[in-house]
Amino acid sequence: MARLQLRPRAAVSRELFSALARSPRDDADLRPHLLVLVPWLPIGGAEVLLANILDSLKAEWRLSIVTTERGDQALAPAFAAITPEIYHLPNLLSRRHWFDFVAALMASRDSRAILSSGSRFLYANLERIKTRFPAILSYDIVHNDAPKGHLASALRARLHIDRLIAVNESIGRSLTRGGAGSGTVAVIPNGVDYQGVFNPQRVDHHAARGRFDIEDGAFVIGFVGRMSEEKRPLAFLAVAAPILAAHSHVRLLVLGDGRMTKAFRAAARTAGIADRLHHLPRLDRAAMPQFYAACSIMVLPSRIEGTPLTMLEALAMGCPVAATDVGDTALIIREGINGFIAPVSIPEALTQRVAGLVGDEAALERMRAAARQSIIDTGRSADAMLAAYRALLRPTREVPGQHRR
């Protein structure tokens, strides 16, 4: 992560901002500059998606990433492999200096565009940024259409955002209904590398189970997500606990960390299932195919989603998904074919349907095949998704220093 030699916050001076201009740059590098504004860099679907997008864009853009929220930065190493310029402002400056820092960064890098993903700082300051840099282009990725969340913030700032990028058609319609001009909304559905990375033929099932200390004969219910209210890890336990109570060979494989971690583990102990729970706060992205291969079924009881990347990855790996009816999950999951769907208000309705697969290996194998095929049939490829982002954010070839402000 890029770091500046800073004085204590109370002694911040003009030297901090002039240091940006002195930062080394290869003058032969004619790529234009893209500023990326995000809250933080945890291991979440939105952040994994962004990392894939930036990795695809780096051939045409110089990249700087600015984060503005305290919290988990577990995915920072993955972003650092894409660009060395990552500035976590809460560690650098008091909040009153953030706008000046971002403006100085943009001026020193001759920024041509901004890409944001759920950045409250961007929504609050974009009008000021546009006033100072009137030629700057702004793009914002909208991951869900919760009316009081990201969607509302994006719509309030819509007059200053050049393109709002929706990860599914439903979000696109919500943006248009909320007042965004149809010409400013682009829909780019999330996709996964189902031919390469998330391909069950490339993963040894037995070895995957062994990696997570799970015996081959176990029925494994999986969960991937932040330990946060919108992902509802306690609802996951409520769905799974009765199944564990009825079947001694059922296990839980959970990946995620966050504010609710202690409450989640305490609830597992209270339910008497902690000894059958394998909880990983973090896992290297390269090991995710093994994680899904180790699971019999994934349960996603989220309260808010757009197009869950976890759902797409699991299905691509031939792992059925039982989910609440959020975002466009019901457009991808076909009841009893490649998974199950329950109302958002009643995630426990998934319990009986998941339990019906325990001990029915033939039904599970049919669902595994259908899960994989559902991703292939819908064309949810990472290549198509990333090509769409590159086309949308294709830079204009101006001479550095000639960008009007």
Side-chain angles (χ1 to χ4, degrees):
M1 187 175 291
R3 294 185 181 274
L4 300 176
Q5 296 299 316
L6 303 183
R7 298 180 181 181
R9 287 185 181 181
V12 170
S13 69
R14 294 177 185 173
E15 294 179 13
L16 168 62
F17 305 105
S18 64
L20 290 172
R22 297 194 301 270
S23 186
R25 175 188 162 188
D26 182 359
D27 289 334
D29 188 349
L30 299 180
R31 292 174 301 164
H33 182 261
L34 177 67
L35 173 65
V36 183
L37 289 170
V38 291
W40 50 63
L41 301 174
I43 300 177
E47 292 73 29
V48 169
L49 173 66
L50 181 63
N52 290 336
I53 293 168
L54 296 184
D55 192 53
S56 180
L57 294 176
K58 68 183 181 184
E60 292 191 302
W61 293 92
R62 290 178 291 118
L63 303 168
S64 298
I65 300 173
V66 173
T67 72
T68 56
E69 303 285 344
R70 295 191 181 280
D72 182 11
Q73 305 291 337
L75 206 59
F79 283 92
I82 298 168
T83 174
E85 276 205 271
I86 303 177
Y87 301 97
H88 183 46
L89 293 190
N91 288 353
L92 296 176
L93 295 163
S94 62
R95 189 177 295 270
R96 68 181 182 274
H97 294 294
W98 288 5
F99 178 82
D100 289 335
F101 178 91
V102 169
L105 177 64
M106 293 176 65
S108 67
R109 303 299 184 266
D110 192 24
S111 300
R112 308 296 175 82
I114 299 172
L115 175 63
S116 59
S117 179
S119 170
R120 290 188 294 179
F121 175 86
L122 183 281
Y123 295 137
N125 290 281
L126 184 55
E127 183 175 5
R128 293 176 68 193
I129 291 173
K130 286 271 193 169
T131 298
R132 187 170 297 191
F133 303 92
I136 201 79
L137 295 174
S138 60
Y139 303 84
D140 183 48
I141 305 173
V142 184
H143 295 279
N144 65 67
D145 56 0
K148 295 183 180 180
H150 189 176
L151 179 75
S153 299
L155 287 171
R156 283 194 293 269
R158 69 187 184 278
L159 297 180
H160 309 290
I161 299 174
D162 294 285
R163 296 304 292 269
L164 290 156
I165 306 170
V167 302
N168 64 40
E169 294 284 354
S170 175
I171 297 170
R173 289 191 295 270
S174 294
L175 288 167
T176 302
R177 286 195 300 267
S182 58
T184 66
V185 177
V187 177
I188 303 180
N190 288 348
V192 294
D193 182 4
Y194 60 79
Q195 293 180 320
V197 176
F198 295 99
N199 186 337
Q201 294 183 353
R202 298 190 174 193
V203 178
D204 183 282
H205 179 83
H206 175 78
R209 287 281 175 104
R211 175 171 187 151
F212 302 109
D213 299 321
I214 295 172
E215 61 272 27
D216 278 336
F219 184 94
V220 182
I221 304 174
F223 172 92
V224 174
R226 290 189 306 278
M227 291 286 152
S228 59
E229 177 53 37
E230 67 271 17
K231 301 298 183 182
R232 299 204 292 190
L234 300 186
F236 167 77
L237 289 179
V239 170
I243 304 174
L244 271 72
H247 302 277
S248 61
H249 69 293
V250 175
R251 301 288 183 268
L252 304 184
L253 182 57
V254 172
L255 172 60
D257 200 3
R259 296 179 180 178
M260 295 183 67
T261 295
K262 289 184 179 179
F264 175 78
R265 290 179 173 173
R269 289 193 297 271
T270 299
I273 57 176
D275 61 334
R276 295 158 69 185
L277 163 65
H278 189 77
H279 179 204
L280 301 164
R282 298 177 183 178
L283 183 66
D284 188 275
R285 280 290 298 168
M288 288 306 298
Q290 286 79 14
F291 183 96
Y292 297 121
C295 295
S296 306
I297 190 168
M298 293 292 297
V299 172
L300 306 180
S302 301
R303 182 172 55 85
I304 300 170
E305 290 285 1
T307 302
L309 199 59
T310 291
M311 174 185 69
L312 301 180
E313 292 172 349
L315 292 173
M317 284 298 299
C319 180
V321 175
T324 44
D325 187 4
V326 290
D328 63 355
T329 55
L331 296 179
I332 298 171
I333 298 175
R334 293 171 293 160
E335 177 67 28
I337 304 298
N338 62 349
F340 306 107
I341 289 285
V344 178
S345 59
I346 318 174
E348 295 85 356
L350 295 169
T351 297
Q352 185 174 357
R353 281 172 273 183
V354 173
L357 289 178
V358 179
D360 192 342
E361 190 62 31
L364 183 58
E365 283 304 311
R366 286 194 299 270
M367 293 190 78
R368 282 187 177 278
R372 168 77 176 166
Q373 194 61 42
S374 66
I375 294 297
I376 297 172
D377 290 345
T378 55
R380 292 277 185 164
S381 76
D383 286 346
M385 174 190 72
L386 295 174
Y389 276 99
R390 288 194 302 272
L392 184 65
L393 279 80
R394 181 159 290 131
T396 56
R397 295 299 180 184
E398 300 178 33
V399 177
Q402 297 297 311
H403 184 47
R404 292 190 301 108
R405 293 188 178 84

